[in-house]
PDB file of all heavy atoms in Angstrom:
ATOM      1  N   LYS A   1    -203.382 229.901 -59.526  1.00 90.00           N
ATOM      2  CA  LYS A   1    -203.627 229.294 -58.225  1.00 90.00           C
ATOM      3  C   LYS A   1    -203.590 230.371 -57.153  1.00 90.00           C
ATOM      4  O   LYS A   1    -202.583 231.069 -56.997  1.00 90.00           O
ATOM      5  CB  LYS A   1    -202.577 228.221 -57.930  1.00 90.00           C
ATOM      6  CG  LYS A   1    -202.914 227.369 -56.708  1.00 90.00           C
ATOM      7  CD  LYS A   1    -201.943 226.213 -56.559  1.00 90.00           C
ATOM      8  CE  LYS A   1    -202.343 225.325 -55.386  1.00 90.00           C
ATOM      9  NZ  LYS A   1    -201.394 224.197 -55.222  1.00 90.00           N
ATOM     10  N   ILE A   2    -204.683 230.512 -56.425  1.00 91.00           N
ATOM     11  CA  ILE A   2    -204.777 231.524 -55.371  1.00 91.00           C
ATOM     12  C   ILE A   2    -204.828 230.866 -53.999  1.00 91.00           C
ATOM     13  O   ILE A   2    -203.988 231.138 -53.139  1.00 91.00           O
ATOM     14  CB  ILE A   2    -206.001 232.433 -55.598  1.00 91.00           C
ATOM     15  CG1 ILE A   2    -205.796 233.259 -56.873  1.00 91.00           C
ATOM     16  CG2 ILE A   2    -206.231 233.347 -54.390  1.00 91.00           C
ATOM     17  CD1 ILE A   2    -206.918 234.201 -57.193  1.00 91.00           C
ATOM     18  N   VAL A   3    -205.815 229.990 -53.812  1.00 90.00           N
ATOM     19  CA  VAL A   3    -205.921 229.276 -52.540  1.00 90.00           C
ATOM     20  C   VAL A   3    -204.824 228.214 -52.462  1.00 90.00           C
ATOM     21  O   VAL A   3    -204.462 227.602 -53.469  1.00 90.00           O
ATOM     22  CB  VAL A   3    -207.316 228.629 -52.400  1.00 90.00           C
ATOM     23  CG1 VAL A   3    -207.398 227.785 -51.139  1.00 90.00           C
ATOM     24  CG2 VAL A   3    -208.375 229.718 -52.363  1.00 90.00           C
ATOM     25  N   PHE A   4    -204.275 228.009 -51.264  1.00 90.00           N
ATOM     26  CA  PHE A   4    -203.149 227.105 -51.022  1.00 90.00           C
ATOM     27  C   PHE A   4    -201.897 227.579 -51.768  1.00 90.00           C
ATOM     28  O   PHE A   4    -201.073 226.774 -52.199  1.00 90.00           O
ATOM     29  CB  PHE A   4    -203.485 225.675 -51.406  1.00 90.00           C
ATOM     30  CG  PHE A   4    -204.709 225.151 -50.713  1.00 90.00           C
ATOM     31  CD1 PHE A   4    -205.490 224.186 -51.323  1.00 90.00           C
ATOM     32  CD2 PHE A   4    -205.096 225.627 -49.467  1.00 90.00           C
ATOM     33  CE1 PHE A   4    -206.630 223.690 -50.689  1.00 90.00           C
ATOM     34  CE2 PHE A   4    -206.231 225.143 -48.834  1.00 90.00           C
ATOM     35  CZ  PHE A   4    -207.001 224.184 -49.445  1.00 90.00           C
ATOM     36  N   ALA A   5    -201.787 228.882 -51.921  1.00 92.00           N
ATOM     37  CA  ALA A   5    -200.624 229.495 -52.572  1.00 92.00           C
ATOM     38  C   ALA A   5    -200.420 230.883 -51.972  1.00 92.00           C
ATOM     39  O   ALA A   5    -201.240 231.379 -51.202  1.00 92.00           O
ATOM     40  CB  ALA A   5    -200.817 229.559 -54.085  1.00 92.00           C
ATOM     41  N   VAL A   6    -199.335 231.506 -52.360  1.00 93.00           N
ATOM     42  CA  VAL A   6    -198.983 232.820 -51.805  1.00 93.00           C
ATOM     43  C   VAL A   6    -200.058 233.883 -52.068  1.00 93.00           C
ATOM     44  O   VAL A   6    -200.371 234.671 -51.174  1.00 93.00           O
ATOM     45  CB  VAL A   6    -197.616 233.279 -52.342  1.00 93.00           C
ATOM     46  CG1 VAL A   6    -197.294 234.694 -51.878  1.00 93.00           C
ATOM     47  CG2 VAL A   6    -196.517 232.325 -51.880  1.00 93.00           C
ATOM     48  N   PRO A   7    -200.652 233.966 -53.266  1.00 93.00           N
ATOM     49  CA  PRO A   7    -201.681 234.993 -53.482  1.00 93.00           C
ATOM     50  C   PRO A   7    -202.835 234.920 -52.485  1.00 93.00           C
ATOM     51  O   PRO A   7    -203.331 235.958 -52.035  1.00 93.00           O
ATOM     52  CB  PRO A   7    -202.162 234.710 -54.913  1.00 93.00           C
ATOM     53  CG  PRO A   7    -200.986 234.091 -55.578  1.00 93.00           C
ATOM     54  CD  PRO A   7    -200.342 233.243 -54.530  1.00 93.00           C
ATOM     55  N   GLY A   8    -203.277 233.719 -52.133  1.00 93.00           N
ATOM     56  CA  GLY A   8    -204.350 233.587 -51.165  1.00 93.00           C
ATOM     57  C   GLY A   8    -203.939 234.091 -49.792  1.00 93.00           C
ATOM     58  O   GLY A   8    -204.737 234.722 -49.077  1.00 93.00           O
ATOM     59  N   ILE A   9    -202.700 233.813 -49.399  1.00 95.00           N
ATOM     60  CA  ILE A   9    -202.201 234.278 -48.115  1.00 95.00           C
ATOM     61  C   ILE A   9    -202.156 235.804 -48.090  1.00 95.00           C
ATOM     62  O   ILE A   9    -202.539 236.445 -47.100  1.00 95.00           O
ATOM     63  CB  ILE A   9    -200.802 233.695 -47.835  1.00 95.00           C
ATOM     64  CG1 ILE A   9    -200.881 232.171 -47.755  1.00 95.00           C
ATOM     65  CG2 ILE A   9    -200.210 234.260 -46.557  1.00 95.00           C
ATOM     66  CD1 ILE A   9    -199.534 231.490 -47.641  1.00 95.00           C
ATOM     67  N   VAL A  10    -201.707 236.392 -49.190  1.00 95.00           N
ATOM     68  CA  VAL A  10    -201.645 237.847 -49.274  1.00 95.00           C
ATOM     69  C   VAL A  10    -203.041 238.452 -49.203  1.00 95.00           C
ATOM     70  O   VAL A  10    -203.281 239.422 -48.465  1.00 95.00           O
ATOM     71  CB  VAL A  10    -200.933 238.280 -50.570  1.00 95.00           C
ATOM     72  CG1 VAL A  10    -201.030 239.797 -50.759  1.00 95.00           C
ATOM     73  CG2 VAL A  10    -199.474 237.852 -50.549  1.00 95.00           C
ATOM     74  N   LEU A  11    -203.987 237.889 -49.948  1.00 94.00           N
ATOM     75  CA  LEU A  11    -205.355 238.409 -49.938  1.00 94.00           C
ATOM     76  C   LEU A  11    -205.978 238.313 -48.545  1.00 94.00           C
ATOM     77  O   LEU A  11    -206.627 239.258 -48.073  1.00 94.00           O
ATOM     78  CB  LEU A  11    -206.210 237.646 -50.948  1.00 94.00           C
ATOM     79  CG  LEU A  11    -205.936 237.932 -52.426  1.00 94.00           C
ATOM     80  CD1 LEU A  11    -206.775 237.008 -53.304  1.00 94.00           C
ATOM     81  CD2 LEU A  11    -206.246 239.387 -52.753  1.00 94.00           C
ATOM     82  N   ALA A  12    -205.804 237.174 -47.886  1.00 94.00           N
ATOM     83  CA  ALA A  12    -206.363 237.005 -46.544  1.00 94.00           C
ATOM     84  C   ALA A  12    -205.729 237.987 -45.561  1.00 94.00           C
ATOM     85  O   ALA A  12    -206.419 238.559 -44.706  1.00 94.00           O
ATOM     86  CB  ALA A  12    -206.148 235.567 -46.069  1.00 94.00           C
ATOM     87  N   THR A  13    -204.437 238.207 -45.681  1.00 95.00           N
ATOM     88  CA  THR A  13    -203.751 239.133 -44.791  1.00 95.00           C
ATOM     89  C   THR A  13    -204.205 240.565 -45.038  1.00 95.00           C
ATOM     90  O   THR A  13    -204.408 241.337 -44.087  1.00 95.00           O
ATOM     91  CB  THR A  13    -202.227 239.032 -44.984  1.00 95.00           C
ATOM     92  OG1 THR A  13    -201.816 237.679 -44.755  1.00 95.00           O
ATOM     93  CG2 THR A  13    -201.489 239.946 -44.026  1.00 95.00           C
ATOM     94  N   ILE A  14    -204.364 240.927 -46.296  1.00 95.00           N
ATOM     95  CA  ILE A  14    -204.858 242.271 -46.615  1.00 95.00           C
ATOM     96  C   ILE A  14    -206.234 242.488 -45.998  1.00 95.00           C
ATOM     97  O   ILE A  14    -206.522 243.548 -45.419  1.00 95.00           O
ATOM     98  CB  ILE A  14    -204.910 242.473 -48.138  1.00 95.00           C
ATOM     99  CG1 ILE A  14    -203.492 242.560 -48.704  1.00 95.00           C
ATOM    100  CG2 ILE A  14    -205.697 243.730 -48.500  1.00 95.00           C
ATOM    101  CD1 ILE A  14    -203.442 242.612 -50.219  1.00 95.00           C
ATOM    102  N   PHE A  15    -207.096 241.474 -46.102  1.00 94.00           N
ATOM    103  CA  PHE A  15    -208.455 241.615 -45.577  1.00 94.00           C
ATOM    104  C   PHE A  15    -208.456 241.875 -44.077  1.00 94.00           C
ATOM    105  O   PHE A  15    -209.120 242.795 -43.592  1.00 94.00           O
ATOM    106  CB  PHE A  15    -209.270 240.354 -45.894  1.00 94.00           C
ATOM    107  CG  PHE A  15    -210.662 240.389 -45.341  1.00 94.00           C
ATOM    108  CD1 PHE A  15    -211.671 241.036 -46.032  1.00 94.00           C
ATOM    109  CD2 PHE A  15    -210.971 239.784 -44.126  1.00 94.00           C
ATOM    110  CE1 PHE A  15    -212.967 241.077 -45.518  1.00 94.00           C
ATOM    111  CE2 PHE A  15    -212.245 239.816 -43.610  1.00 94.00           C
ATOM    112  CZ  PHE A  15    -213.255 240.467 -44.306  1.00 94.00           C
ATOM    113  N   VAL A  16    -207.713 241.090 -43.318  1.00 94.00           N
ATOM    114  CA  VAL A  16    -207.767 241.220 -41.858  1.00 94.00           C
ATOM    115  C   VAL A  16    -207.046 242.469 -41.367  1.00 94.00           C
ATOM    116  O   VAL A  16    -207.265 242.901 -40.220  1.00 94.00           O
ATOM    117  CB  VAL A  16    -207.192 239.971 -41.159  1.00 94.00           C
ATOM    118  CG1 VAL A  16    -207.993 238.729 -41.524  1.00 94.00           C
ATOM    119  CG2 VAL A  16    -205.725 239.775 -41.491  1.00 94.00           C
ATOM    120  N   THR A  17    -206.177 243.062 -42.193  1.00 94.00           N
ATOM    121  CA  THR A  17    -205.429 244.248 -41.753  1.00 94.00           C
ATOM    122  C   THR A  17    -205.959 245.542 -42.360  1.00 94.00           C
ATOM    123  O   THR A  17    -205.372 246.613 -42.136  1.00 94.00           O
ATOM    124  CB  THR A  17    -203.935 244.103 -42.107  1.00 94.00           C
ATOM    125  OG1 THR A  17    -203.789 243.847 -43.516  1.00 94.00           O
ATOM    126  CG2 THR A  17    -203.304 242.961 -41.338  1.00 94.00           C
ATOM    127  N   VAL A  18    -207.040 245.482 -43.113  1.00 93.00           N
ATOM    128  CA  VAL A  18    -207.603 246.679 -43.746  1.00 93.00           C
ATOM    129  C   VAL A  18    -207.906 247.805 -42.755  1.00 93.00           C
ATOM    130  O   VAL A  18    -207.603 248.970 -43.022  1.00 93.00           O
ATOM    131  CB  VAL A  18    -208.867 246.309 -44.562  1.00 93.00           C
ATOM    132  CG1 VAL A  18    -209.766 247.517 -44.758  1.00 93.00           C
ATOM    133  CG2 VAL A  18    -208.478 245.762 -45.916  1.00 93.00           C
ATOM    134  N   PRO A  19    -208.504 247.544 -41.593  1.00 93.00           N
ATOM    135  CA  PRO A  19    -208.963 248.666 -40.755  1.00 93.00           C
ATOM    136  C   PRO A  19    -207.865 249.475 -40.077  1.00 93.00           C
ATOM    137  O   PRO A  19    -208.120 250.613 -39.662  1.00 93.00           O
ATOM    138  CB  PRO A  19    -209.832 247.968 -39.685  1.00 93.00           C
ATOM    139  CG  PRO A  19    -210.083 246.591 -40.189  1.00 93.00           C
ATOM    140  CD  PRO A  19    -208.908 246.251 -41.036  1.00 93.00           C
ATOM    141  N   PHE A  20    -206.662 248.947 -39.919  1.00 93.00           N
ATOM    142  CA  PHE A  20    -205.719 249.542 -38.979  1.00 93.00           C
ATOM    143  C   PHE A  20    -205.244 250.932 -39.390  1.00 93.00           C
ATOM    144  O   PHE A  20    -205.188 251.838 -38.559  1.00 93.00           O
ATOM    145  CB  PHE A  20    -204.529 248.597 -38.765  1.00 93.00           C
ATOM    146  CG  PHE A  20    -204.904 247.372 -38.006  1.00 93.00           C
ATOM    147  CD1 PHE A  20    -205.216 246.190 -38.680  1.00 93.00           C
ATOM    148  CD2 PHE A  20    -204.979 247.383 -36.631  1.00 93.00           C
ATOM    149  CE1 PHE A  20    -205.585 245.058 -37.981  1.00 93.00           C
ATOM    150  CE2 PHE A  20    -205.342 246.256 -35.931  1.00 93.00           C
ATOM    151  CZ  PHE A  20    -205.645 245.085 -36.601  1.00 93.00           C
ATOM    152  N   VAL A  21    -204.880 251.126 -40.638  1.00 93.00           N
ATOM    153  CA  VAL A  21    -204.433 252.443 -41.072  1.00 93.00           C
ATOM    154  C   VAL A  21    -205.605 253.414 -41.137  1.00 93.00           C
ATOM    155  O   VAL A  21    -205.531 254.540 -40.621  1.00 93.00           O
ATOM    156  CB  VAL A  21    -203.729 252.357 -42.438  1.00 93.00           C
ATOM    157  CG1 VAL A  21    -203.384 253.749 -42.953  1.00 93.00           C
ATOM    158  CG2 VAL A  21    -202.467 251.510 -42.335  1.00 93.00           C
ATOM    159  N   ALA A  22    -206.703 252.990 -41.766  1.00 92.00           N
ATOM    160  CA  ALA A  22    -207.854 253.874 -41.921  1.00 92.00           C
ATOM    161  C   ALA A  22    -208.437 254.276 -40.577  1.00 92.00           C
ATOM    162  O   ALA A  22    -208.751 255.454 -40.348  1.00 92.00           O
ATOM    163  CB  ALA A  22    -208.918 253.187 -42.779  1.00 92.00           C
ATOM    164  N   ARG A  23    -208.564 253.322 -39.658  1.00 90.00           N
ATOM    165  CA  ARG A  23    -209.172 253.612 -38.370  1.00 90.00           C
ATOM    166  C   ARG A  23    -208.295 254.511 -37.503  1.00 90.00           C
ATOM    167  O   ARG A  23    -208.775 255.180 -36.603  1.00 90.00           O
ATOM    168  CB  ARG A  23    -209.503 252.311 -37.637  1.00 90.00           C
ATOM    169  CG  ARG A  23    -210.921 251.854 -37.854  1.00 90.00           C
ATOM    170  CD  ARG A  23    -211.857 252.864 -37.273  1.00 90.00           C
ATOM    171  NE  ARG A  23    -213.194 252.811 -37.861  1.00 90.00           N
ATOM    172  CZ  ARG A  23    -214.022 253.829 -37.859  1.00 90.00           C
ATOM    173  NH1 ARG A  23    -213.639 254.989 -37.401  1.00 90.00           N
ATOM    174  NH2 ARG A  23    -215.222 253.727 -38.365  1.00 90.00           N
ATOM    175  N   GLU A  24    -207.014 254.531 -37.765  1.00 88.00           N
ATOM    176  CA  GLU A  24    -206.121 255.434 -37.048  1.00 88.00           C
ATOM    177  C   GLU A  24    -206.206 256.851 -37.607  1.00 88.00           C
ATOM    178  O   GLU A  24    -206.087 257.829 -36.865  1.00 88.00           O
ATOM    179  CB  GLU A  24    -204.673 254.924 -37.157  1.00 88.00           C
ATOM    180  CG  GLU A  24    -203.678 255.680 -36.316  1.00 88.00           C
ATOM    181  CD  GLU A  24    -203.931 255.563 -34.833  1.00 88.00           C
ATOM    182  OE1 GLU A  24    -204.441 254.514 -34.392  1.00 88.00           O
ATOM    183  OE2 GLU A  24    -203.630 256.531 -34.106  1.00 88.00           O
ATOM    184  N   LEU A  25    -206.439 256.972 -38.919  1.00 91.00           N
ATOM    185  CA  LEU A  25    -206.406 258.277 -39.565  1.00 91.00           C
ATOM    186  C   LEU A  25    -207.743 259.000 -39.586  1.00 91.00           C
ATOM    187  O   LEU A  25    -207.782 260.233 -39.541  1.00 91.00           O
ATOM    188  CB  LEU A  25    -205.899 258.128 -41.002  1.00 91.00           C
ATOM    189  CG  LEU A  25    -204.438 257.704 -41.170  1.00 91.00           C
ATOM    190  CD1 LEU A  25    -204.084 257.629 -42.650  1.00 91.00           C
ATOM    191  CD2 LEU A  25    -203.508 258.667 -40.456  1.00 91.00           C
ATOM    192  N   ILE A  26    -208.845 258.260 -39.669  1.00 90.00           N
ATOM    193  CA  ILE A  26    -210.154 258.913 -39.812  1.00 90.00           C
ATOM    194  C   ILE A  26    -210.437 259.878 -38.661  1.00 90.00           C
ATOM    195  O   ILE A  26    -210.748 261.059 -38.894  1.00 90.00           O
ATOM    196  CB  ILE A  26    -211.269 257.858 -39.955  1.00 90.00           C
ATOM    197  CG1 ILE A  26    -211.165 257.165 -41.312  1.00 90.00           C
ATOM    198  CG2 ILE A  26    -212.651 258.513 -39.820  1.00 90.00           C
ATOM    199  CD1 ILE A  26    -212.108 255.989 -41.481  1.00 90.00           C
ATOM    200  N   PRO A  27    -210.379 259.459 -37.387  1.00 88.00           N
ATOM    201  CA  PRO A  27    -210.646 260.426 -36.312  1.00 88.00           C
ATOM    202  C   PRO A  27    -209.627 261.559 -36.254  1.00 88.00           C
ATOM    203  O   PRO A  27    -209.969 262.687 -35.898  1.00 88.00           O
ATOM    204  CB  PRO A  27    -210.611 259.568 -35.043  1.00 88.00           C
ATOM    205  CG  PRO A  27    -209.853 258.348 -35.414  1.00 88.00           C
ATOM    206  CD  PRO A  27    -210.121 258.115 -36.852  1.00 88.00           C
ATOM    207  N   LEU A  28    -208.370 261.266 -36.616  1.00 86.00           N
ATOM    208  CA  LEU A  28    -207.341 262.301 -36.609  1.00 86.00           C
ATOM    209  C   LEU A  28    -207.648 263.376 -37.639  1.00 86.00           C
ATOM    210  O   LEU A  28    -207.589 264.580 -37.350  1.00 86.00           O
ATOM    211  CB  LEU A  28    -205.978 261.667 -36.888  1.00 86.00           C
ATOM    212  CG  LEU A  28    -204.779 262.616 -36.983  1.00 86.00           C
ATOM    213  CD1 LEU A  28    -204.604 263.388 -35.680  1.00 86.00           C
ATOM    214  CD2 LEU A  28    -203.514 261.850 -37.334  1.00 86.00           C
ATOM    215  N   MET A  29    -208.005 262.956 -38.852  1.00 87.00           N
ATOM    216  CA  MET A  29    -208.324 263.918 -39.902  1.00 87.00           C
ATOM    217  C   MET A  29    -209.600 264.694 -39.579  1.00 87.00           C
ATOM    218  O   MET A  29    -209.695 265.901 -39.855  1.00 87.00           O
ATOM    219  CB  MET A  29    -208.479 263.195 -41.241  1.00 87.00           C
ATOM    220  CG  MET A  29    -207.173 262.725 -41.850  1.00 87.00           C
ATOM    221  SD  MET A  29    -207.441 262.041 -43.509  1.00 87.00           S
ATOM    222  CE  MET A  29    -205.749 261.815 -44.058  1.00 87.00           C
ATOM    223  N   GLN A  30    -210.585 264.012 -38.996  1.00 85.00           N
ATOM    224  CA  GLN A  30    -211.823 264.696 -38.641  1.00 85.00           C
ATOM    225  C   GLN A  30    -211.578 265.744 -37.559  1.00 85.00           C
ATOM    226  O   GLN A  30    -212.163 266.832 -37.586  1.00 85.00           O
ATOM    227  CB  GLN A  30    -212.861 263.679 -38.174  1.00 85.00           C
ATOM    228  CG  GLN A  30    -213.417 262.819 -39.300  1.00 85.00           C
ATOM    229  CD  GLN A  30    -214.362 261.742 -38.801  1.00 85.00           C
ATOM    230  OE1 GLN A  30    -214.267 261.276 -37.662  1.00 85.00           O
ATOM    231  NE2 GLN A  30    -215.280 261.323 -39.657  1.00 85.00           N
ATOM    232  N   ALA A  31    -210.706 265.426 -36.605  1.00 83.00           N
ATOM    233  CA  ALA A  31    -210.403 266.377 -35.538  1.00 83.00           C
ATOM    234  C   ALA A  31    -209.648 267.598 -36.071  1.00 83.00           C
ATOM    235  O   ALA A  31    -209.831 268.719 -35.580  1.00 83.00           O
ATOM    236  CB  ALA A  31    -209.590 265.692 -34.442  1.00 83.00           C
ATOM    237  N   GLN A  32    -208.818 267.403 -37.075  1.00 80.00           N
ATOM    238  CA  GLN A  32    -208.045 268.515 -37.628  1.00 80.00           C
ATOM    239  C   GLN A  32    -208.888 269.438 -38.495  1.00 80.00           C
ATOM    240  O   GLN A  32    -208.533 270.604 -38.678  1.00 80.00           O
ATOM    241  CB  GLN A  32    -206.863 267.967 -38.436  1.00 80.00           C
ATOM    242  CG  GLN A  32    -205.789 267.321 -37.575  1.00 80.00           C
ATOM    243  CD  GLN A  32    -204.683 266.688 -38.395  1.00 80.00           C
ATOM    244  OE1 GLN A  32    -204.822 266.510 -39.607  1.00 80.00           O
ATOM    245  NE2 GLN A  32    -203.587 266.340 -37.743  1.00 80.00           N
ATOM    246  N   GLY A  33    -209.996 268.930 -39.023  1.00 80.00           N
ATOM    247  CA  GLY A  33    -210.854 269.758 -39.848  1.00 80.00           C
ATOM    248  C   GLY A  33    -210.278 270.025 -41.229  1.00 80.00           C
ATOM    249  O   GLY A  33    -209.295 269.390 -41.657  1.00 80.00           O
ATOM    250  N   LYS A  34    -210.873 270.997 -41.924  1.00 78.00           N
ATOM    251  CA  LYS A  34    -210.481 271.288 -43.306  1.00 78.00           C
ATOM    252  C   LYS A  34    -209.960 272.705 -43.497  1.00 78.00           C
ATOM    253  O   LYS A  34    -209.727 273.135 -44.629  1.00 78.00           O
ATOM    254  CB  LYS A  34    -211.687 271.065 -44.235  1.00 78.00           C
ATOM    255  CG  LYS A  34    -212.236 269.653 -44.215  1.00 78.00           C
ATOM    256  CD  LYS A  34    -213.320 269.459 -45.264  1.00 78.00           C
ATOM    257  CE  LYS A  34    -214.581 270.235 -44.905  1.00 78.00           C
ATOM    258  NZ  LYS A  34    -215.679 269.985 -45.872  1.00 78.00           N
ATOM    259  N   ASN A  35    -209.771 273.442 -42.410  1.00 79.00           N
ATOM    260  CA  ASN A  35    -209.399 274.853 -42.540  1.00 79.00           C
ATOM    261  C   ASN A  35    -208.068 275.042 -43.272  1.00 79.00           C
ATOM    262  O   ASN A  35    -207.944 275.902 -44.142  1.00 79.00           O
ATOM    263  CB  ASN A  35    -209.327 275.508 -41.154  1.00 79.00           C
ATOM    264  CG  ASN A  35    -210.696 275.603 -40.503  1.00 79.00           C
ATOM    265  OD1 ASN A  35    -211.717 275.574 -41.193  1.00 79.00           O
ATOM    266  ND2 ASN A  35    -210.728 275.714 -39.184  1.00 79.00           N
TER     267      ASN A  35
END
C-alpha cells in the first residue's frame, strides 16, 4: 500500500523537495570551478 499510507506521503514529499539542495549547490559549484 503506497497511496493513503506513509510510503505515498514520503514519495510526495521527496518530489516537492527535490530542487532545494541541488538548486543551492549547482551555482555554487559552477562558480568555484574545477581548478
